[in-house]
Amino acid sequence: MKKVLYFAIVAVATLLLAGCKKDKEEDNAPACVGEWQLSNIAVKSVTYADQKVDVYLNLQEGGSFEVYQMIGQGRFRRYTGTWKLEGTLLSGTYSSKKPWGSSYQVSADGNTLTLTSTTSGEVDTYTKTTIPASVKEEAYDM
């Protein structure tokens, strides 16, 4: 279970990193700014249990983030903190002052955000979406 939780946290952090290149069409805001849902995970170094992982990521202008994650069944958990992008390298810190478990190489095309962990090689793909109000309203704050 701890591996699954760690994976979900890594996946969320990966989402934060994936789409942050500059988008010249929107006042030079990073392309990763916005709301995303995890759509694919390509694991290279970690084995996970047979539990569904559902993650939404909200990278906000100004460098703050929210991650909503549910492993298995139950309610979403909400994590917050700050992120920064240096070139194509995304990193972040949770509100608890704990850094993410990895930094991520980011690529984005406006509709897809891809985050590649610099420590495990895991590749997480996110799809541009709107986070449902029910997810936001019912999530536990962590």
Side-chain angles (χ1 to χ4, degrees), residues 4-134:
V4 172
L5 179 58
Y6 174 76
F7 168 74
I9 291 171
V10 170
V12 170
T14 300
L15 290 176
L16 294 173
L17 298 172
C20 293
K21 68 180 182 179
K22 295 287 183 181
D23 183 352
K24 295 179 182 175
E25 296 177 11
E26 296 181 355
D27 301 325
N28 291 326
C32 61
V33 169
E35 297 179 352
W36 304 90
Q37 182 178 20
L38 182 65
S39 57
N40 188 44
I41 299 168
V43 178
K44 294 184 179 180
S45 65
V46 182
T47 302
Y48 298 100
D50 283 341
Q51 293 194 46
K52 179 183 176 189
V53 176
D54 197 1
V55 178
Y56 290 94
L57 175 62
N58 183 5
L59 296 174
Q60 301 163 359
E61 284 193 56
S64 60
F65 75 85
E66 296 175 307
V67 173
Y68 297 87
Q69 124 187 337
M70 180 173 31
I71 301 171
Q73 296 182 351
R75 291 173 60 181
F76 281 87
R77 294 177 183 203
R78 178 180 173 260
Y79 299 88
T80 60
T82 59
W83 62 274
K84 67 179 177 179
L85 181 67
E86 295 175 328
T88 61
L89 188 66
L90 178 66
S91 61
T93 304
Y94 294 99
S95 294
S96 66
K97 307 296 184 215
K98 182 176 180 179
W100 292 348
S102 176
S103 294
Y104 300 87
Q105 287 294 322
V106 176
S107 67
D109 68 8
N111 291 314
T112 302
L113 175 66
T114 303
L115 300 172
T116 303
S117 170
T118 59
T119 57
S120 71
E122 177 180 298
V123 178
D124 298 325
T125 304
Y126 291 85
T127 303
K128 192 80 158 182
T129 192
T130 299
I131 300 172
S134 61

